[in-house]
């Protein structure tokens, strides 16, 4: 599903944010990306949905070499990758329903199909009864779940989340992670960048640790910090 | 693209126009003014042209004859003139008829002419019409050489002058209107730029969830188009009414001045202005999209 080979990323003249990253993720996996602030987690994630291109090396996602992709193909690629942002990126004035439907409307899905898919995905994240509320009226955890619903509404084979529990209290964070686990159980590959030690440790999934732009650890059933 | 998508984009564009009331109104107003000025020049040029063409078709050559010609000689000359290639009709105007005609034209002041009545100073003449107005010059030159012809005149100079005026109006109007349209494009661009700026957050999300560039772009292009077309409709409305009033005024005061009838002229003008307005709108918005929307 994901294949990074000797990936380097440098922003302008700054030091490299990623230096020589190799990473292979199979379909159906659940992967945590951990590491200290500035380690390059967000950079790695940006490469995965082609917000950024690598300075050198290759990034393949869903079978496509993202550096070779023509600009006009990018929108169609993005529909296959659901992305959940730390700051949600919702439209605050619009309702939950509209926020989720938005991703379908702007990708020319028929109204009939929208009426079928939106309730299903809201059900999945447990927000069926919040559909008519405005995004700005929701709690942080609810907003995060709307963001997840929107990322999932295209039925993407890959879901990427950058610190999805960053602003949430432990209970809410746990609920959100449960949604991600649920999604993974239905067959979607999930990649999560996270600082939340408790969650990582509780789930015992694959953990990839970055430090100063390099992969320093990759464990199948890992903890947030390396077991001594 | 699908019908649903078009509906979506038109709705978005309409929403943009409404949300951005001040700039939208300003843009529409300026589009209307520019197109109005442009049309005034076009209408002026068209009418002067029309006037010239009308006069041209009425141009006739006046061949003044020597007073000493006998009736037989005059008849012979008349036949000779009629045989010149390009001549359509020849009519004889005697000195007496010319004087009567002149008196009629002087109307109430014809007393002035009674002094000359004893000794008619006018010459008999032939009025020659050509098949084609453009042949006037050539035919006149030929007639000059005929025996018994004293003088040949025609009004071609006035006509040529009028055509020149129409041409100048056309050219000057086009340059002025071109500059105005250019300014208008920038105003529309600015208006659309404000919308793009206000919606940059939304645009970012659209890109991330996989909206195509076309889908992101079109609502803004349509927004510009709406501004342009609404502006052109206002210009057309004002123009139509003004032309109608002018037509009535001319009809009342100088009825012999030929004016292009408003039908089908105004209809054609309305369509052209709408197209031009739409073009201005699209150019304006693509200008701001190119600069402010990296899609
Ligand atoms: N747009 C950018 N321009 C320049 N430098 C950048 C940019 N984005 C990130 N960096 C740099 O790249 C490095 C890695 O940043 P990145 O955001 O990937 O870290 P991170 O692991 O996500 O950190 P955090 O846990 O704080 O979110 C940092 O040194 C950062 O300053
Ligand atoms: Mg980060």
């Amino acid at each position: 599903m994901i294949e990074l080979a000797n990936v380097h990323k440098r922003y302008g003249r700054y030091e490299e944010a990623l230096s020589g990253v190799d990473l292979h993720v199979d379909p159906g996996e659940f992967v945590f990306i951990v590491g200290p602030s500035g380690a390059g987690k967000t950079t790695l994630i940006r490469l995965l949905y082609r917000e950024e291109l690598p300075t050198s090396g290759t990034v393949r996602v869903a079978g496509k070499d993202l550096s070779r992709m023509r600009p006009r193909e990018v929108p169609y690629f993005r529909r296959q990758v659901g992305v959940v942002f730390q700051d949600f990126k919702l439209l605050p004035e619009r309702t939950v329903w509209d926020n989720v439907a938005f991703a379908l409307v702007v990708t020319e899905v028929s109204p009939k199909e929208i009426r079928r898919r939106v309730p299903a995905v809201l059900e999945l994240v447990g927000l069926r009864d919040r559909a008519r509320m405005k995004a700005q009226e929701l709690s942080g955890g609810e907003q995060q779940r709307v963001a997840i619903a929107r990322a999932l509404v295209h039925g993407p084979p890959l879901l990427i989340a950058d610190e999805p529990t960053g602003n949430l209290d432990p209970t809410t964070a746990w609920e959100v992670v449960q949604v991600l686990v649920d999604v993974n159980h239905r067959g979607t590959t999930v990649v999560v960048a996270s600082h939340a030690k408790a969650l990582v440790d509780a789930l015992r999934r694959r953990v990839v640790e970055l430090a100063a732009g390099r992969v320093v650890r990759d464990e199948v059933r890992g903890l947030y910090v390396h077991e001594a | 693209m699908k019908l649903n998508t078009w509906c979506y984009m038109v709705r978005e564009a309409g929403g943009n126009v409404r949300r951005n009331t001040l700039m939208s109104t300003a843009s529409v107003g300026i589009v209307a003014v520019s197109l109005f000025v442009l049309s005034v020049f076009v209408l002026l040029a068209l009418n002067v042209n029309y006037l010239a063409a009308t006069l041209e078709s009425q141009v006739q050559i006046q061949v003044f004859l020597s007073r000493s010609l006998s009736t037989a000689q005059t008849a012979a000359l008349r036949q000779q003139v009629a045989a010149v290639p390009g001549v359509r009709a020849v009519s004889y105007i005697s000195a007496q008829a010319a004087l009567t005609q002149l008196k009629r034209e002087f109307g109430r002041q014809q007393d002035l002419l009674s002094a000359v009545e004893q000794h008619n100073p006018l010459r008999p003449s032939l009025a020659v019409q050509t098949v084609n107005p453009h042949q006037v010059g050539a035919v006149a030159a030929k007639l000059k050489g005929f025996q018994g012809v004293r003088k040949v005149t025609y009004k071609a100079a006035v006509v040529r002058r009028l055509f020149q005026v129409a041409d100048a109006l056309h050219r000057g109007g086009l340059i002025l209107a071109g500059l105005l349209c250019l300014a208008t494009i920038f105003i529309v661009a600015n208006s659309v730029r404000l919308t793009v700026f206000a919606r940059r957050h939304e645009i970012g999300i659209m890109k991330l969830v996989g909206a195509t560039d076309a889908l992101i772009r079109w609502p803004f292009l349509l927004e510009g188009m709406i501004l342009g077309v609404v502006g052109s409709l206002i210009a057309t409305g004002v123009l139509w009414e003004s032309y109608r009033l002018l037509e009535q005024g001319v009809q009342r005061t100088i009825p012999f001045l030929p004016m292009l009838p408003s039908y089908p002229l105004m209809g054609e003008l309305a369509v052209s202005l709408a197209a031009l307005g739409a073009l201005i709108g699209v150019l304006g918005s693509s200008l701001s999209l190119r600069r402010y929307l990296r899609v």
Side-chain angles (χ1 to χ4, degrees):
Chain A
M1 178 59 66
I2 298 174
E3 187 74 63
L4 272 68
N6 195 21
V7 168
H8 292 257
K9 176 66 189 177
R10 181 193 295 279
Y11 293 105
R13 292 157 184 267
Y14 300 97
E15 250 179 83
E16 281 191 333
L18 292 177
S19 15
V21 172
D22 294 301
L23 180 66
H24 175 94
V25 177
D26 279 325
E29 274 196 272
F30 190 116
V31 185
F32 277 118
I33 312 280
V34 301
S37 192
K41 303 184 293 296
T42 298
T43 303
L44 176 60
I45 280 182
R46 284 204 190 120
L47 291 175
L48 295 182
Y49 63 92
R50 206 182 178 279
E51 171 85 21
E52 297 282 352
L53 286 173
T55 312
S56 70
T58 56
V59 178
R60 295 181 72 87
V61 177
K64 300 202 180 65
D65 183 337
L66 302 194
S67 299
R68 296 244 175 95
M69 188 177 278
R70 279 176 299 166
R72 54 188 309 186
E73 291 178 79
V74 173
Y76 303 96
F77 164 73
R78 295 244 173 99
R79 295 174 200 181
Q80 299 196 25
V81 181
V83 185
V84 183
F85 304 91
Q86 187 170 359
D87 58 353
F88 313 141
K89 292 199 197 296
L90 299 177
L91 299 165
E93 300 283 338
R94 304 217 194 168
T95 63
V96 169
W97 178 286
D98 285 347
N99 266 282
V100 176
F102 184 73
L104 297 174
V105 171
V106 302
T107 51
E108 302 179 56
V109 174
S110 72
K112 192 172 153 223
E113 187 66 14
I114 292 175
R115 280 193 298 275
R116 194 180 65 78
R117 281 204 227 165
V118 176
V121 75
L122 286 180
E123 183 78 57
L124 184 70
V125 298
L127 284 179
R128 192 73 199 267
D129 54 335
R130 295 281 192 279
R132 297 280 149 230
M133 285 177 73
K134 283 186 178 178
Q136 64 192 6
E137 297 166 349
L138 301 175
S139 72
E142 287 167 336
Q143 290 188 23
Q144 187 61 281
R145 281 186 281 161
V146 177
I148 294 173
R150 189 185 61 197
L152 289 174
V153 76
H154 278 299
L158 174 61
L159 181 70
I160 306 170
D162 191 2
E163 311 204 11
T165 59
N167 304 326
L168 308 179
D169 65 79
T171 320
T172 318
W174 183 248
E175 283 170 20
V176 167
V177 167
Q178 280 311 312
V179 172
L180 296 178
V181 169
D182 243 32
V183 169
N184 179 241
H185 277 147
R186 289 161 199 252
T188 306
T189 311
V190 178
V191 175
V192 183
S194 183
H195 273 141
K197 180 177 188 305
L199 293 178
V200 176
D201 289 351
L203 286 180
R204 306 257 359 192
R205 296 300 182 109
R206 181 175 170 193
V207 172
V208 174
E209 183 175 346
L210 290 178
R214 293 171 192 282
V215 177
V216 294
R217 179 165 62 106
D218 189 346
E219 287 174 348
V220 180
R221 287 172 57 79
L223 292 171
Y224 188 79
V225 289
H226 186 51
E227 284 170 294
Chain B
M1 266 180 269
K2 295 178 202 162
L3 184 63
N4 280 321
T5 310
W6 281 106
C7 292
Y8 160 80
M9 293 192 300
V10 170
R11 251 186 293 120
E12 289 294 301
N16 285 351
V17 172
R18 261 184 286 111
R19 265 188 294 261
N20 195 1
T21 324
L22 190 68
M23 274 308 287
S24 297
T25 313
S27 306
V28 166
I30 288 170
V31 170
V33 169
S34 308
L35 293 183
F36 182 78
V37 171
L38 169 70
S39 317
V40 165
F41 271 96
V42 169
L43 282 179
L44 258 179
L46 285 178
N47 271 297
V48 173
N49 219 343
Y50 180 65
L51 176 65
T54 310
L55 290 183
E56 186 179 53
S57 70
Q58 292 167 358
V59 168
Q60 54 178 16
I61 304 169
Q62 296 252 308
V63 182
F64 294 98
L65 307 177
S66 160
R67 275 194 206 95
S68 59
L69 288 185
S70 69
T71 316
Q73 281 171 318
T74 306
L77 182 57
R78 186 177 166 178
Q79 277 190 348
Q80 217 184 327
V81 169
V84 170
V87 170
R88 184 163 52 105
V90 183
S91 55
Y92 174 71
I93 300 161
S94 68
Q96 191 53 47
L99 186 62
T100 315
Q101 165 78 21
L102 193 63
K103 274 163 89 176
R104 196 154 357 117
E105 278 172 17
F106 269 64
R108 253 181 278 147
Q109 281 128 31
Q110 57 180 275
D111 296 348
L112 290 172
L113 293 175
S114 42
V116 298
E117 218 155 347
Q118 257 52 51
H119 183 78
N120 186 349
L122 301 179
R123 290 173 184 284
S125 65
L126 293 176
V128 178
Q129 270 166 350
T130 56
V131 178
N132 178 331
H134 299 297
Q135 295 167 321
V136 167
V139 170
K142 200 168 280 173
L143 297 185
K144 245 177 227 163
F146 285 12
Q147 196 77 52
V149 170
R150 290 297 295 264
K151 198 176 158 203
V152 177
T153 65
Y154 58 97
K155 283 184 267 170
V158 180
V159 173
R160 222 178 305 128
R161 191 88 201 115
L162 271 176
F163 275 125
Q164 281 168 0
V165 170
D167 227 45
L169 276 173
H170 234 132
R171 231 172 285 149
L174 279 185
I175 291 172
L176 182 69
L179 290 176
L180 272 172
C181 286
L182 211 63
T184 312
I185 288 173
F186 282 105
I187 300 283
V188 172
N190 209 45
S191 179
V192 174
R193 187 179 61 85
L194 284 186
T195 327
V196 172
F197 187 74
R199 305 192 65 177
R200 64 196 183 287
H201 185 56
E202 203 171 322
I203 293 168
I205 296 173
M206 289 171 83
K207 289 194 218 176
L208 291 173
V209 298
T212 55
D213 290 357
L215 192 114
I216 295 175
R217 230 181 261 267
W218 267 103
F220 296 106
L221 293 179
L222 287 176
E223 178 187 348
M225 230 191 252
I226 291 173
L227 298 178
V229 171
V230 172
S232 80
L233 288 181
I234 293 175
T236 305
V238 175
L239 212 60
W240 201 308
E241 191 57 24
S242 320
Y243 197 77
R244 203 178 55 80
L245 291 177
L246 187 69
E247 233 179 353
Q248 283 177 357
V250 167
Q251 199 64 243
R252 220 174 328 104
T253 53
I254 19 181
F256 51 84
L257 184 73
M259 234 176 122
L260 275 172
S262 60
Y263 178 84
L265 175 67
M266 281 314 202
E268 285 165 6
L269 198 69
V271 173
S272 319
L273 287 188
L276 192 59
L279 184 70
I280 287 174
V282 168
L283 284 179
S285 42
S286 40
L287 198 69
S288 57
L289 287 183
R290 189 169 299 233
R291 290 188 56 186
Y292 301 99
L293 195 71
R294 255 187 45 235
V295 292

